[in-house]
Amino acid sequence: MIRPLAAGLLLTLGLTSSAPAQTLAKADQAVFKPKYIKKQLLKATRWQLAHPKHKVTDWTNGAFYSGVFAAYQATKSRLILDSLMAMGNRTQWRPDRRYDHADDIAICQTYLNLYRLKKERRMIEPTLAVVEKLRTVPGPEVQHNGITWWWCDALFMGPPVLVKLGMLENQPQYLTFSDTLYAQTYRRLYNPQQHLFTRDASYLWNAANEGKTKKESNGQPIFWSRGNGWVMGGLVQILQELPANHPTRPFYVNILKEMSASLIKLQQPDGLWRSSLLDPAAYPGGETSGSGFDTYAMAWGINNGLLDRATYLPAVQKAWIALDKVVGADGKVGWVQPIGADPRRDFSADSWEVYGTGAYLLAGSEVMKLKLK
């Protein structure tokens, strides 16, 4: 049964559950043309840059600027590159204040990406300092939570920074350190039956949570779309860096494949994923940020031969058509779940957040590379 809001979203998106994703209407074919996607990426980037929100070095902007850099790669827009450089100069290429919290180093992904282009040491030195401190000085996160990356979203924020830095500086110890921290999070939060990550240990169904187990209204375990989307996006950022012969690369490839196989079954008829993956009716509005990261990762998997094209291309097509329809004429990306550990606050076509735009930009930059015939 589709609740009224979900049905309304289906109508808003102009999609029906009966339309086969492989057979694209003429209007839908147009949204896959590289020229069109570039125009959309530029429009969304311009709108979001003109409507800043949060501290620049906040995790929200870490995700946004990751998408902005991908939009630059796709469009080669001088405006975007100038905006990225202005951002870095404004922050003096520094992360946020907590050296051991993954949220506060997410912005360093963009610094490292820009360093690849400009090769100016001032752009990388603060990141080197914070990563070295993280590697050598135990901090409050591990002291309070037992592991450093104790919530699944951290797997987008932290690992790409360590892996990018290790590759840029030819410092394999940073890759090994990232592997160690990632494995800790994986062992704690990854569900080997569902092939999804719980948000943090408080959502686990285990003896430690007996009597206070968190469930959805339909009795299912809680797996948030957005958190799993962050993980999917982070996997791409890691795999883009790791050499083909790197010993831990198969570990990350396997997670991407397992999660993609689960997520494709949980995609809703309108092409988007819902906030609660196993109880979509609980929050019936299609959620853009999780959906954007999933689309990005699956498109990247297809483009790089890791995901079966025949299986995943229809899902990516359906998702991109839906994502394109949540972008307003002004470039605002809507239907983004607000900040919070869960989606209790309602959201709508007018709900926007910088990380939702970032996810959309990442998705478009990868969908643009798809060969549809």
Side-chain angles (χ1 to χ4, degrees), residues 264-281:
I264 196 175
K265 297 173 186 174
L266 300 170
Q267 185 182 27
Q268 296 303 295
D270 62 1
L272 301 179
W273 284 263
R274 299 300 183 263
S275 293
S276 179
L277 290 170
L278 302 190
D279 188 8

Side-chain angles (χ1 to χ4, degrees), residues 9-29:
L9 181 61
L10 287 169
L11 293 174
T12 299
L13 295 176
L15 300 170
T16 66
S17 59
S18 61
Q22 301 95 317
T23 306
L24 297 177
K26 189 171 183 180
D28 291 335
Q29 292 173 17

